[in-house]
Amino acid sequence: MKSKVSTQPMSASSFTKKANLAVYESLNFEDRQDFEDAIRGFIAPLESTIIKDDSGEVVWDIDKLDFLNDTAPDTVNPSLWRNAQLQAISGLFEVVEGVYQIRGQSIATTFFFEGKQGVIVCDALGSTESAEAAMELYYKHRPRKPVSAIIISQSHADHFGGIQAVLKYAENPDIPIIVPQYFTEEALSENALLGTIMARRAEYQFGKNIPDGTIGSVSIGIGNTMSSGTMSFALPTVEIENEIQTMEIDGVTFQFLLTPNTEAPAEMHFYIQDYKALFVSENANQLMHQIYTVRGAKTRDALHWANSLDKTIDLFEDEEIDALLMIHAWPVWGKDQALNHLKMQRDLYKYMHDQTVRLANHGYTMDEIAETIKLPKALDTYWGNRGYYGTLKHNSKGIYNFYLGYYSAHPSDLDPLPQVEAGLKYVEYMGGAATILQKAKADFDNGEYRWVAQVLKNVVMADPENSDAKNLLAMAFEQLGYQAESANWRNIFLVGASELRNGINKDNSPLDVSGVIKNMPVDEFLKLIAVKLNGPKADGKKITLNITLSNSNQEYRIYLENSVLIYKAGELDADPDVSLTLDQFTFYGIGLGLLSPEQAVAAGKLIISGDQTKLNEFLSLLDEFDRLPNIVTP
């Protein structure tokens, strides 16, 4: 008789305790410079350590991180514990006179540059709730001058999600919103086209559904805990288009440097002579970042990333630099220290790139490279390069994939069976689940957790009701998580263990991207509609729609043929199946299934001519994505 799946995580094994103790021998924990830098310039603690949305749901809570005041427990890698303690240092800080940073209000930070008439806000945090709390904290301790401009340094949502809250503090609604070239396209492609599956994978990476604590999440590497809340968007008014571009903003001169296809597809650095401050967005951090982000995103160009840091050094090394500003970390003070940190980060990414490519040319596969590559001691022992977010293993795989793709070149890897079918055959070939479990238990007792996880995946995929396999797989995941230096890896392993033990939490509120979607350009929305089209269901169907947007007089011809959706802007078809006249938000609502055409007509928001059944037929071909697909079970 099979046992029940245990709902309780286990403690650290003897192998995990030994592995974590060994970390103290390999790194200099006596070096406390980062702690000194992280508290430098402290003005005031956060006013809002717990933030709720309009419905009363908690979207931010760092009070629960008090456990980090203790020494590292057996269940946490001591190096990751150090990172978590540093990320938990929060509040309002003066970097230099006139430049202020708020840390701990969201997974990113925000900077305030005081101009001649108002304040320039750089990066708007991940939600409107967090951004409002940050603004109020700043104004409690600094003059309440209006927001005179907003700079969004890159295209990831944790940098712009709170922008609508920041805009409320501007006297003029037409203040400059300054972004790097291609910001809008990249921001919306990541958060709309692939928003559903990326959000699900992000729950693993950021440990959303496990508690913060010594047997749960202790950090997210680049921040202290997972945030949620209302995501918003605003179309930019100024795009930095030249690689090097100088611009005066509210009496302060900014020299911008575009760094596209680095940590984000659209990103930029800048230098402010007035404040002797160099800002490098998310291309330099107090850790190793991700070349391939495990939540899923376009693989980054490691060589271009390194070269962008090198270009930043060359461009500004003759300038006065009092402080180096990074959006996910505390500053580095002093020119020598700032340039050294940039060089160490540059060399980290350059080394990973060059050595991965070297080993690939020797014929090593992606997995073999991950097992072979090692950092030189100078790069490896530098605290600012440790793998709290990215890891050397999965970054090297990302670089390999960037150039050579997923295929190892071995013919048997060209068309392998998918995981469920493969699992069934593995279990059959290995003598059945009971035999595998007996051997896996022995390997677990010997501390061979990686192999146990690898082999038991097949058993669970073949028989998801096998509670013994799920229990042992969860136990292996937990030990791997407890040993991980990367917050991402720890969270992923522990979320996987939790879902094996308890199933998926279906009560979680869905990711709210309405604030992004309702502000997105029509062309970007139509790209989303195109990927929602169910190709097999649309086979053999041919539908033409004319769309006239009453709020902007924009016209679109949309036609479905060969199970593909094509649209043309600025033109209408001479003989459509159906024509719609409606405003943009109504169009978006109908396209997303938030209201029916009948409801829109009844509300006086939609005028239809032609064959309405064709519209209903078209809408029936659009998929609704499951926000919580299975990951650790089939």
Side-chain angles (χ1 to χ4, degrees), residues 428-471:
E428 176 189 346
Y429 272 49
M430 296 172 78
T435 300
I436 296 173
L437 278 163
Q438 183 180 10
K439 294 179 178 179
K441 180 63 169 65
D443 285 338
F444 181 91
D445 292 340
N446 288 326
E448 298 181 44
Y449 306 127
R450 288 175 65 192
W451 171 247
V452 172
Q454 187 172 339
V455 73
L456 286 183
K457 171 187 175 181
N458 294 297
V459 179
V460 173
M461 286 298 163
D463 179 9
E465 301 304 317
N466 190 320
S467 55
D468 292 330
K470 290 166 74 174
N471 270 328

Side-chain angles (χ1 to χ4, degrees), residues 20-132:
N20 284 342
L21 279 173
V23 175
Y24 288 109
E25 303 301 319
S26 61
L27 296 169
N28 181 13
F29 283 83
E30 299 300 315
D31 179 1
R32 302 289 292 177
Q33 184 62 49
D34 284 331
F35 288 91
E36 293 177 19
D37 288 346
I39 62 173
R40 179 171 171 173
F42 177 76
I43 294 174
L46 300 178
E47 294 282 322
S48 301
T49 55
I50 300 176
I51 302 174
K52 298 181 180 180
D53 62 16
D54 291 340
S55 68
E57 181 179 346
V58 174
V59 300
W60 182 251
D61 180 2
I62 61 168
D63 279 352
K64 58 191 177 184
L65 301 180
D66 288 346
F67 66 89
L68 291 167
N69 293 327
D70 295 330
T71 56
D74 294 334
T75 53
V76 183
N77 183 299
S79 180
L80 177 59
W81 188 261
R82 180 184 184 276
N83 161 266
Q85 289 180 320
L86 285 162
Q87 287 290 356
I89 297 172
S90 60
L92 172 65
F93 301 82
E94 181 181 72
V95 180
V96 295
E97 186 178 355
V99 177
Y100 300 86
Q101 182 187 32
I102 289 179
R103 304 201 305 269
Q105 203 73 86
S106 183
I107 65 173
T109 75
T110 189
F111 285 95
F112 301 85
F113 302 101
E114 296 183 346
K116 301 301 182 184
Q117 304 300 321
V119 60
I120 304 155
V121 178
C122 177
D123 286 4
L125 304 183
S127 71
T128 56
E129 293 86 355
S130 288
E132 181 178 3

Side-chain angles (χ1 to χ4, degrees), residues 561-574:
E561 188 176 12
N562 299 322
S563 295
V564 173
L565 187 70
I566 302 293
Y567 66 90
K568 301 291 183 182
E571 59 183 75
L572 298 174
D573 192 87

Side-chain angles (χ1 to χ4, degrees), residues 170-181:
E171 289 181 351
N172 179 359
D174 298 322
I175 62 169
I177 301 175
I178 304 154
V179 300
Q181 188 178 32

